[in-house]
């Protein structure tokens, strides 16, 4: 590739370049400003706003860039399309919210001197996610996954305040290393079979019959292990509860939304680009019959949601409960990939758009309450609904939405998922998923029970919310309430964003 | 008459009241209670206006143009893609002879329940706010004609009900509340699935000539709208209509509650505070049977006919089993709760007859059970408020100390037994008339009449134990009814006698619709001839 092509192609990478630039700015500012770290979060937010603005521009056009030599322009290493733009936007929004969370987090405030690293690493994660969302080359997929993972390992152990903190980081690192090793092995097998790491090239090669199915099957499972680890699908979910409990809440929230979103974007794109030969007029994807993705994904998703939901029932720590709940949600989301259709894609986008707000909202309120009472144990939530009525009621609304009861937005996410399932004639799966919702109700409602039905044990604590927290809660609550009653905008938006550039 | 969206108003007025209450300080208890009473009283007035301008000759059921007070707006519209089609959900309200009695019932019972919640003292603000939200949910279920809307209202009630039982209930409130919630949610997830299945099976013609999938209940009733491949379409030889019918039926049966899904009811009733028991028995149970008549019957007529015998059988089990359980109870409230199970059995039996008389009787029984059981729960509430005990054997001879109270108790008990000149008699006899005329369920009907005997047994026995016999000196300080309690009992007593002596007042409202429903159901086989494979 000559300089000119690279230069022209850079246009497609503007958001990534913006994130990198601001990442360096934060490092520099951290060095120059010395002990005054007040500016850093604002700088990160500015960076996210710029990146978000650049992403908005990508909504309308698509293209694949950095093609391997000798291939036509449509085989790229990086693909820019509206699907990617949607997820990048989601990452941007959740990053901005998480940076705002960090303002009011006691945990983060305590480590003033190292704030520079904190924001740098967050931006590093964002860069990794951006690349992961757009990557259509196995090497880039692996690199971006590692970039994101490495940043998040450090962030998990960032505060170093508790033993749990370091334990979580170490666990995360070990599990992560194993799964990325597996993934790399899978990638090498695919390369051996096809002679290429470019997903588009692999796709065309897979359509010819002389492929060793066994080797490809093993490779598929290995690569899925790497991605499944990121989206915490069973049986690769073991790290999730420990890490979510041990990490600072801001990071837990970030991992449960942004990193999961990037993982799902990668999974959907990987399957669509590599294994789908064409899309039928009915919106269903025609899979190249080399690997049983549908069956695998269905089994994994049912396993994931059932495990997540049933284990969440026994949790007494709220962060841990929300961790298992997010595993269960990953199960539902996997179903939207498993239907292998455009309907499923719409369901996935709608679900994510809503899930981001309700999950971040729930974590934020847990954080505010933990700041005040110094605990995330359900035991200590007894009677909180009366001493902090506003937080109690809004937390209740987020939890109801996570359960998926109408008229909250969570219901719309579930509704679209079930519509996609019924449309693909997966009735049994839909029944299992629905019964799972009932199980989920039990642990979400248990929190409400403790807050409103139980008598407070200790002294009632009252809490004055800072204006920023109030605004943040309302900002996250608004979509949860509004999209529940009037969901046209979010669905229209999702529908306009399902173009995955593929064969 | 200038167009006035009266149904929206009657439905959302409570939400408006709730928002105002949320803005008031919690210490203004009088004001909050007064406001709630005003809202529910306005609902009664609106229901009166609806009754006054109701056109008795229009049938409704499956024809949009013969529904009344229609409000239809596009609520959600998502433009089509080649593979998704247009998604649309209508805000579609309207009433006919099946829903009108329920609207009246809801308005009346909500008002009475507000009065009976006057002595709630624990966080009045929260109670009234949740109560009003519940009210909206109930009213919404009865007026919506779009499945999606119906479902949203149906689910809307769950959370307020959970808190109303869970926060203001008795000693085992948490258990009862979560049991109620889980049972109902299991039912409604099945309903959700059927709703989505139906959505993919029928297309409604749009004004611009294209067609789109629809949640509109009336469009779903029309066999012409079904597509050839829909999983719940009768035209599809491999359809799942039978399974869907059962799933939907279970969803509704849990709410009725039909044996064997009834176990949440005694728990919920015993733990719930009086006003909530009144709402639960008076209105919520009706939503199950209403749902069956409104949705299962006209959308799945062929399967309803196949399964009518089983519905009657379960009706009989409900009647006899409920009555036997009621006989065995030592707790006044639990006895009334089981009597509800028994009385809802009559509704099922009447519905299963698929005759005009039987269904008329069933709907009438829904209304009458609503008023009579509400009164019974109020009666328990009165004595519980004063003595904080509900054991049937703890009392005795209360008639001496509380003669006026005993007077109302006697009326309610006899109405529940089904004494002529009271409303319960008419509806029960209609139910039996209807079901006896159908050969296949004649035997079931004959056994079901035992329920009346048993009913008389537990009611009179309770009357004897609590109000007659030797006066228990422990209750010397008891006082008779207060003015507020008079206000609760008198309207219900009037309604019970009025409909006992002049049942046509109510029967005329529903007769046209029920006729047309029965016609519709019997006419269906011609179009659904490919069915019945199951």
């Amino acid at each position: 590739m000559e300089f000119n092509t690279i230069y022209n192609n850079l246009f497609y990478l503007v958001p990534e370049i913006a994130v990198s630039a601001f990442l360096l700015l934060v490092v520099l500012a951290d060095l120059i400003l010395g002990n005054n770290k007040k500016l850093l979060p604002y700088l990160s937010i500015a960076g996210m706003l710029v990146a978000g603005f650049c992403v908005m521009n990508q909504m309308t056009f698509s293209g694949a860039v950095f093609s391997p030599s000798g291939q036509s322009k449509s085989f790229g290493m990086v693909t820019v399309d509206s699907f990617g733009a949607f997820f990048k936007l989601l990452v941007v929004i959740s990053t901005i919210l998480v940076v705002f969370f960090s303002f009011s987090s006691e945990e983060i405030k305590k480590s003033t001197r190292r704030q520079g690293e904190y924001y740098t690493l967050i931006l590093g994660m964002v860069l990794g996610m951006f690349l992961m969302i757009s990557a259509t080359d196995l090497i880039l997929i692996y690199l971006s996954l590692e970039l994101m993972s490495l940043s998040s390992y450090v962030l998990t152990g960032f505060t170093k305040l508790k033993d749990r903190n370091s334990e979580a980081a170490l666990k995360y690192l070990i599990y992560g290393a194993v799964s990325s090793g597996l993934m790399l092995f899978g990638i090498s097998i695919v390369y051996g079979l096809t002679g290429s790491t470019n997903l588009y090239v692999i796709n065309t090669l897979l359509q010819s019959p002389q492929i060793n199915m066994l080797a490809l099957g093993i490779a598929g499972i290995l690569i899925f292990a790497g991605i499944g680890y990121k989206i915490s699908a069973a049986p690769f979910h073991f790290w999730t509860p420990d890490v979510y409990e041990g990490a600072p809440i801001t990071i837990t929230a970030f991992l449960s939304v942004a990193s999961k979103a990037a993982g799902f974007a990668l999974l959907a794109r990987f399957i669509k680009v590599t294994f789908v030969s064409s899309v039928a007029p009915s919106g269903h994807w025609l899979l190249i019959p080399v690997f049983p993705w549908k069956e695998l994904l269905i089994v994994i998703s049912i396993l994931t949601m059932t495990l997540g939901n049933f284990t969440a029932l026994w949790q007494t720590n709220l962060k841990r409960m929300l961790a298992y709940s997010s595993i269960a949600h990953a199960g539902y989301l996997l179903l939207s990939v498993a239907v292998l259709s455009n309907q499923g894609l719409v369901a996935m986008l709608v679900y994510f758009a809503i899930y981001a707000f309700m999950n971040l909202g729930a974590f934020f309120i847990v954080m505010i309450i933990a700041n005040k009472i110094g605990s995330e144990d359900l035991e200590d939530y007894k009677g909180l609904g009366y001493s902090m009525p506003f937080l109690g009621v809004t937390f209740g609304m987020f939890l109801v939405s996570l359960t998926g009861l109408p008229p909250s937005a969570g219901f719309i996410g579930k509704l679209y998922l079930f519509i996609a399932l019924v449309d693909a004639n997966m009735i049994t799966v839909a029944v299992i998923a629905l019964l799972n919702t009932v199980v989920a109700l039990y642990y979400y409602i248990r929190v409400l029970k403790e807050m409103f039905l139980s008598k407070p044990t200790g002294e009632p604590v009252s809490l004055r919310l800072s204006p920023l927290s109030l605004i943040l809660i309302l900002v996250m609550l608004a979509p949860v309430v509004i999209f529940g009653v009037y969901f046209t905008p979010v669905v229209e938006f999702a529908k306009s964003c399902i173009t995955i550039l593929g064969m | 008459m200038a167009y006035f969206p009266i149904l929206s108003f009657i439905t959302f007025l409570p939400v408006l009241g709730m928002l105002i209450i949320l803005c008031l300080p919690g210490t203004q208890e009088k004001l909050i209670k007064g406001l709630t009473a005003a809202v529910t009283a306005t609902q009664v007035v609106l229901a009166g206006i609806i009754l006054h301008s109701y056109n008795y000759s229009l049938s409704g059921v499956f024809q949009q143009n013969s529904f009344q007070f229609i409000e239809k707006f596009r609520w959600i519209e998502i433009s089509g893609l080649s593979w998704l089609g247009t998604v649309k959900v209508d805000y579609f309200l309207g009433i006919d002879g099946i829903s009108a009695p329920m609207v009246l019932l809801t308005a009346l019972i909500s008002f009475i329940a507000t009065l009976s919640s006057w002595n709630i003292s624990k966080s009045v603000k929260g109670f009234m706010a949740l109560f009003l939200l519940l009210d909206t949910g109930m009213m919404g279920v009865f007026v919506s004609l779009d499945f999606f809307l119906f479902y949203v209202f149906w689910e809307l009630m769950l959370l307020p009900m959970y808190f109303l039982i869970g926060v203001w209930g008795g000693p085992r409130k948490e258990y009862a509340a979560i049991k109620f919630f889980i049972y109902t949610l299991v039912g409604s997830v099945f309903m959700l699935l059927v709703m989505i299945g139906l959505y993919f099976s029928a297309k409604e013609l749009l004004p611009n000539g294209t067609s789109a999938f629809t949640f509109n209940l009336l469009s779903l009733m029309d066999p012409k709208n079904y597509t050839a491949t829909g999983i719940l379409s009768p035209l599809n030889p491999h359809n799942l209509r039978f399974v869907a019918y059962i799933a939907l039926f279970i969803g509704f049966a849990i709410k009725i509650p039909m044996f064997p899904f009834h176990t949440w009811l005694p728990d919920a009733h015993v733990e719930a505070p009086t006003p909530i028991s009144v709402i639960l028995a008076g209105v919520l149970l009706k939503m199950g049977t209403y749902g069956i008549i409104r949705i299962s019957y006209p959308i799945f007529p062929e399967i309803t006919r196949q399964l009518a015998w089983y519905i009657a059988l379960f009706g009989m089990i409900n009647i006899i089993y409920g009555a036997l359980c009621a006989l065995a109870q030592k707790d006044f409230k639990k006895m009334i709760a089981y009597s509800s199970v028994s009385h809802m059995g009559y509704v099922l039996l009447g519905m299963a007859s698929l005759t005009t008389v039987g269904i008329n009787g069933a709907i009438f029984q829904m209304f009458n059970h609503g008023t009579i059981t509400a009164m019974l729960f109020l009666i328990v509430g009165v004595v519980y408020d004063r003595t904080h005990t509900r054991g049937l054997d703890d009392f005795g001879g209360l008639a001496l100390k509380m003669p006026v109270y005993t007077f109302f108790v006697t009326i309610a008990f006899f109405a529940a037994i089904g004494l002529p000149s009271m409303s319960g008699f008419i509806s029960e006899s209609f139910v039996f008339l209807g079901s006896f005329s159908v050969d296949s369920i004649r035997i079931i009907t004959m056994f079901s009449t035992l329920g009346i005997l048993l009913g008389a047994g537990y009611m009179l026995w309770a009357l004897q134990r609590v109000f007659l016999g030797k006066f228990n000196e422990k209750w010397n300080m008891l006082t008779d009814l207060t003015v507020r309690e008079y206000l609760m009992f008198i309207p219900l007593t009037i309604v019970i006698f009025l409909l006992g002596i002049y049942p046509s007042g109510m029967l005329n409202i529903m007769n046209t619709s029920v006729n047309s429903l029965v016609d519709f159901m019997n006419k269906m086989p011609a179009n659904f001839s490919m069915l019945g494979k199951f």
Side-chain angles (χ1 to χ4, degrees):
Chain A
M1 274 190 287
E2 51 214 90
F3 176 75
N4 243 354
T5 346
I6 295 175
Y7 181 75
N8 288 337
N9 286 347
L10 280 183
F11 169 67
Y12 289 86
L13 288 177
V14 174
E16 284 81 358
I17 293 170
V19 175
S20 317
F22 274 91
L23 194 157
L24 295 174
L25 264 179
V26 171
V27 175
L28 280 177
D30 186 30
L31 288 175
I32 295 167
L33 294 175
N35 278 334
N36 185 5
K37 312 287 188 197
K38 288 249 164 57
L39 190 67
L40 300 178
Y42 294 105
L43 206 57
S44 320
I45 289 171
M48 281 298 105
L49 288 176
V50 172
F53 180 74
C54 301
V55 169
M56 291 297 262
N57 281 334
Q58 288 186 347
M59 283 284 171
T60 44
F61 70 87
S62 57
V65 293
F66 298 116
S67 325
S69 52
Q71 298 287 358
S72 83
K73 260 203 79 121
S74 60
F75 299 103
M77 184 185 246
V78 170
T79 303
V80 170
D81 49 26
S82 58
F83 175 80
F86 176 91
F87 275 99
K88 284 178 192 168
L89 208 58
L90 201 70
V91 169
V92 166
I93 291 170
S94 40
T95 312
I96 293 176
L97 285 171
V98 165
V99 172
F100 275 121
F101 289 6
S102 311
F103 277 152
S104 33
S105 163
E106 295 293 336
E107 287 171 295
I108 305 301
K109 273 186 201 154
K110 277 181 194 147
S111 48
T112 15
R113 293 208 37 237
R114 296 182 294 128
Q115 298 247 318
E117 296 161 34
Y118 180 80
Y119 293 107
T120 316
L121 287 166
I122 283 195
L123 287 182
M125 266 181 90
V126 172
L127 182 61
M129 291 175 202
F130 270 29
L131 288 171
M132 228 166 113
I133 290 166
S134 305
T136 44
D137 189 286
L138 288 171
I139 298 290
L140 186 63
I141 288 176
Y142 178 75
L143 287 176
S144 55
L145 204 76
E146 284 298 279
L147 174 57
M148 185 183 94
S149 302
L150 288 171
S151 317
S152 52
Y153 301 148
V154 183
L155 281 173
T156 302
F158 181 73
T159 55
K160 299 196 284 193
L161 290 176
K162 288 172 285 187
D163 288 347
R164 294 213 67 101
N165 220 236
S166 324
E167 180 197 330
L170 191 65
K171 253 186 189 156
Y172 197 15
L173 174 67
I174 292 173
Y175 275 110
V178 171
S179 66
S180 62
L182 292 177
M183 188 178 183
L184 202 57
F185 186 40
I187 290 174
S188 68
I189 297 178
V190 172
Y191 181 70
L193 286 173
T194 59
S196 172
T197 56
N198 188 293
L199 299 187
Y200 296 99
V201 179
I202 296 171
N203 181 292
T204 45
L205 291 171
L206 287 182
Q207 306 208 26
S208 68
Q210 318 83 323
I211 286 278
N212 184 335
M213 301 280 263
L214 181 67
L216 188 76
I218 293 172
I221 290 173
L222 289 174
I223 294 180
F224 181 77
I227 305 175
Y229 162 81
K230 270 292 132 209
I231 58 179
S232 57
F236 314 108
H237 69 284
F238 291 106
W239 60 275
T240 317
D242 291 330
V243 170
Y244 280 20
E245 192 187 346
I249 304 187
T250 49
I251 298 306
T252 309
F254 197 47
L255 287 178
S256 75
V257 174
S259 132
K260 198 162 269 181
F264 269 100
L266 172 61
L267 179 68
R269 187 188 294 281
F270 174 66
I271 293 178
K272 171 89 194 299
V273 172
T274 321
F275 292 95
V276 173
S277 57
S278 65
V279 177
S282 63
H284 292 270
W285 302 348
L286 301 175
L287 217 52
I288 305 172
V290 287
F291 189 78
W293 277 112
K294 194 173 189 123
E295 290 73 10
L296 178 78
L297 287 174
I298 288 175
V299 171
I300 298 269
S301 64
I302 288 177
L303 203 65
T304 308
M305 69 176 82
T306 315
L307 242 155
N309 277 329
F310 276 92
T311 324
L313 288 178
W314 317 118
Q315 302 310 318
T316 50
N317 179 300
L318 223 60
K319 253 161 108 184
R320 220 173 156 81
M321 190 206 87
L322 284 175
Y324 279 109
S325 116
S326 88
I327 295 179
H329 282 280
Y332 297 121
L333 282 159
L334 266 175
L335 277 185
S336 67
V337 185
V339 292
L340 298 177
S341 70
N342 286 351
Q343 283 89 326
L345 226 45
V346 172
M348 180 173 156
L349 299 194
V350 171
Y351 203 112
F352 249 122
I354 293 163
Y355 170 79
F357 289 105
M358 60 193 187
N359 213 36
L360 285 175
F363 272 115
F364 184 56
I365 291 180
V366 171
M367 185 185 96
I368 295 181
I369 294 178
N371 278 348
K372 181 74 196 177
I373 65 173
S375 156
E376 290 132 10
D377 277 336
L378 201 50
E379 197 58 13
D380 300 324
Y381 274 61
K382 279 194 183 355
L384 266 189
Y386 299 102
S387 49
M388 311 176 182
F390 177 76
L391 284 182
V393 171
T394 45
F395 194 31
M397 287 161 103
F398 286 124
L399 290 177
V400 165
S401 184
L402 282 167
T403 318
L405 292 179
S408 69
F411 169 65
I412 304 305
K414 291 246 162 59
L415 178 77
Y416 266 82
L417 176 64
F418 290 119
I419 284 182
L421 285 174
V422 172
D423 181 56
N425 237 331
M426 290 157 64
I427 311 287
T428 324
V429 182
V431 171
I432 296 173
L434 274 170
L435 291 178
N436 255 293
T437 317
V438 181
V439 178
L441 168 82
Y442 188 79
Y443 61 82
Y444 290 125
I445 210 80
R446 210 163 56 119
V447 182
L448 292 183
K449 191 194 95 179
E450 294 296 342
M451 287 199 304
F452 290 99
L453 270 54
S454 303
K455 294 232 156 39
T457 42
E459 283 284 294
V461 271
S462 62
L463 176 68
R464 273 188 63 85
L465 274 182
S466 68
L468 175 69
S469 310
L470 186 71
I471 291 169
L472 277 179
I473 291 178
L474 292 179
V475 161
M476 288 178 291
L477 194 62
V480 169
V481 172
I482 293 169
F483 292 153
V485 185
Y486 186 70
F487 50 91
T488 312
V490 62
V491 178
E492 286 285 0
F493 183 58
K495 250 176 41 188
S496 67
C497 288
I498 55 145
T499 326
I500 296 184
L501 211 59
M503 289 295 112
Chain B
M1 189 180 90
Y3 189 73
F4 174 69
I6 193 162
L7 291 183
S8 290
F9 209 69
I10 201 171
T11 307
F12 289 106
L13 190 65
V15 169
L16 200 69
M18 180 190 82
L19 293 177
I20 297 172
I21 284 178
L22 287 181
C23 299
L24 291 173
T27 45
Q28 297 278 359
E29 297 190 355
K30 282 252 164 55
L31 184 63
I32 289 171
K33 284 173 180 168
L35 191 69
T36 315
V39 166
T40 46
T42 316
Q43 272 188 308
V44 174
V45 172
L46 288 172
I49 295 172
I50 289 176
L51 185 65
H52 176 72
S53 46
Y54 188 83
N55 184 340
Y56 290 72
S57 58
L58 290 174
S59 66
V61 185
F62 61 98
Q63 297 152 311
Q64 189 184 324
N65 50 21
S66 61
F67 269 91
Q68 303 184 41
F69 309 102
I70 292 178
E71 291 163 40
K72 190 175 182 185
F73 307 102
R74 187 56 41 80
W75 170 22
I76 302 288
E77 179 157 19
I78 291 156
S79 58
L81 288 178
S82 60
W83 41 267
L84 197 61
T86 311
V87 176
K88 57 181 213 50
V89 181
D90 284 333
Y91 176 78
F92 185 14
L93 305 183
I95 56 171
D96 63 357
I98 298 169
S99 41
M102 296 299 112
V103 171
L104 300 179
L105 180 69
T106 310
L108 179 66
I109 299 296
S110 300
F111 178 63
I112 303 278
T114 314
L115 291 183
S116 84
S117 51
W118 221 257
N119 45 11
I120 293 278
S121 53
K122 185 177 170 188
S123 46
V124 176
K125 180 177 168 182
F127 183 91
M128 291 302 174
L130 288 166
F131 178 83
L132 288 173
L133 190 61
L134 178 71
D135 192 357
T136 289
M138 297 187 300
M139 199 57 101
V141 163
F142 291 127
V143 296
S144 47
L145 292 175
D146 188 279
F147 208 158
F148 191 87
L149 198 61
F150 178 92
Y151 186 79
V152 169
F153 281 126
W154 180 279
E155 295 276 280
L156 186 65
M157 299 166 335
L158 292 183
L159 216 57
M161 200 67 191
Y162 171 80
F163 283 114
L164 286 169
I165 297 176
V167 178
W168 287 270
R172 285 168 71 240
K173 56 191 183 175
E174 291 167 14
Y175 170 75
I178 193 71
K179 193 169 179 184
F180 161 81
F181 207 152
I182 300 266
Y183 264 68
T184 325
L185 194 71
V186 170
S188 49
V189 294
F190 284 125
M191 198 195 298
L192 175 65
L193 212 57
V194 175
M195 179 177 103
I196 296 173
L198 282 170
Y199 171 75
F200 274 112
S201 304
K203 283 194 164 181
E204 182 187 51
L205 202 64
L206 295 182
N208 62 7
T210 58
S211 57
F213 290 127
T214 179
F215 285 116
N216 185 330
L217 284 174
L218 307 185
S219 305
L220 292 173
M221 290 171 198
D222 190 346
K224 284 199 298 291
N225 286 334
Y226 281 91
T227 58
T229 51
I231 53 165
L232 296 184
S233 158
L235 307 173
N236 179 349
H238 305 293
N239 66 56
L240 296 171
R241 281 171 74 85
F242 190 81
V243 182
Y245 185 85
I246 299 213
L248 189 60
F249 194 86
I250 291 176
F252 291 134
I254 289 172
K255 205 79 172 195
I256 295 174
M258 186 182 87
F259 178 87
F261 307 111
H262 66 284
T263 57
W264 63 267
L265 182 79
D267 285 316
H269 266 314
V270 170
E271 302 307 326
T274 307
I276 301 311
S277 283
V278 169
I279 290 279
L280 195 58
V283 185
L284 249 69
L285 306 190
K286 291 2 172 239
M287 289 173 21
T289 38
Y290 172 80
I292 295 176
I293 296 182
R294 165 70 64 217
I295 296 175
S296 300
Y297 269 36
I299 293 183
F300 301 94
E302 79 290 2
I303 297 166
T304 303
R305 281 204 309 270
Q306 274 178 51
L307 293 180
W309 190 84
Y310 295 94
I311 301 178
L313 182 71
F314 276 108
M316 182 192 83
I317 296 175
N318 254 35
I319 294 171
I320 308 247
Y321 176 84
L324 287 174
C325 286
L327 264 176
Q329 297 311 318
K330 291 202 161 50
D331 182 317
F332 203 160
K333 211 170 180 185
K334 216 161 184 173
M335 184 203 87
I336 308 287
Y338 275 111
S339 86
S340 273
V341 175
S342 179
H343 281 116
M344 290 309 284
Y346 294 115
V347 180
L348 281 171
L349 184 66
M351 277 163 34
S353 73
L354 301 181
T355 58
T356 310
V357 182
I359 296 182
N360 263 329
I363 300 174
F364 199 21
Q365 170 75 1
M366 279 153 71
F367 187 89
N368 292 338
H369 176 252
T371 48
I372 294 169
T373 313
M375 195 156 161
L376 291 173
F377 277 113
L378 290 173
I379 283 166
V380 182
V382 166
V383 71
Y384 185 72
D385 278 349
R386 287 169 171 65
T387 65
H388 298 284
T389 174
R390 289 186 308 245
L392 283 168
D393 297 322
D394 296 351
F395 301 101
L398 282 193
L400 284 171
K401 201 72 194 169
M402 308 171 77
V404 185
Y405 174 56
T406 311
F407 168 73
F408 284 113
V409 172
T410 319
I411 290 174
F413 275 29
F414 281 122
I417 296 169
L419 208 70
S421 86
M422 299 198 211
S423 57
F425 170 71
I426 311 285
S427 53
E428 282 172 28
S429 42
F430 266 57
V431 163
F432 286 129
L433 274 176
S435 58
F436 195 75
S437 67
V438 180
D439 290 337
S440 57
I441 58 172
R442 189 163 292 151
I443 306 281
I444 291 178
T445 313
M446 284 156 73
F447 277 108
S448 302
T449 48
L450 267 179
I452 300 209
L453 206 63
L454 293 170
Y458 60 76
M459 283 296 179
L460 293 178
W461 193 27
L463 191 67
Q464 191 190 339
R465 281 189 280 175
V466 178
F467 296 96
L468 308 178
K470 191 171 173 301
F471 180 65
N472 186 342
E473 291 299 329
K474 199 166 117 196
W475 309 120
N476 230 339
M477 72 309 170
L478 283 186
T479 49
D480 215 335
L481 299 186
T482 63
V483 178
R484 181 178 58 82
E485 286 160 344
Y486 271 110
L487 274 178
M488 306 181 320
F489 285 125
I490 290 173
L492 290 174
T493 312
I494 292 175
V495 170
I496 288 171
F497 274 108
L498 192 67
L499 293 179
I501 296 163
Y502 179 66
S504 316
M506 186 58 69
L507 286 169
N508 283 347
I509 297 179
M510 48 208 193
N511 197 36
T512 324
S513 299
V514 172
N515 259 327
S516 115
L517 174 70
V518 172
D519 269 0
F520 177 79
M521 305 255 313
N522 289 332
K523 208 171 60 205
M524 259 317 134
N527 303 324
F528 280 56
S529 57
M530 299 168 70
L531 279 173
K533 295 261 162 52
F534 279 101

